[in-house]
Each structure stands twice: as structure tokens, then as C-alpha cells.
Amino acid sequence: MGRSRRAVYWEWLRPEEQKAVVAIKAALDPLGIMNPGCLMHVAQKCAAVLR
């Protein structure tokens, strides 16, 4: 998946799956340095749900 399909990917996921992706990304890359913006740009909006 590339940046061009990022929004479609997030629309395809259910809310609980979005939360899981955000949590996994945060656990594996807490500094956000691995492929910044490729997958998580849209998910950052979902991050507030985890707080």
C-alpha cells in the first residue's frame, strides 16, 4: 500500500481495527521515525481515541 491508498485503507478498517493499527504503530515506532506519514497520517486523527 502506498500513500495514494492511505485514505481508502482507513475507510476499509472498522474502528476497533483502526485503534489496533494505531496502538501497534505506537508500540513499534514510538518516535514516529519509520516511514513517517505513509500509513499514520490519517490515523493520527484516531490517536485521540486511545487516550
Side-chain angles (χ1 to χ4, degrees), residues 1-27:
M1 186 191 70
R3 291 180 180 174
S4 64
R5 295 188 184 136
R6 177 176 44 206
V8 175
Y9 173 74
W10 287 103
E11 290 174 8
W12 178 71
L13 294 175
R14 295 186 309 254
E16 58 272 9
E17 292 171 325
Q18 292 176 358
K19 290 178 190 177
V21 169
V22 171
I24 292 167
K25 172 68 173 169

Side-chain angles (χ1 to χ4, degrees), residues 18-19 22-23 26 40-51:
Q18 292 176 358
K19 290 178 190 177
V22 171
M40 303 308 291
H41 177 71
V42 175
Q44 289 171 348
K45 295 177 184 176
C46 301
V49 176
L50 294 175
R51 295 183 186 143

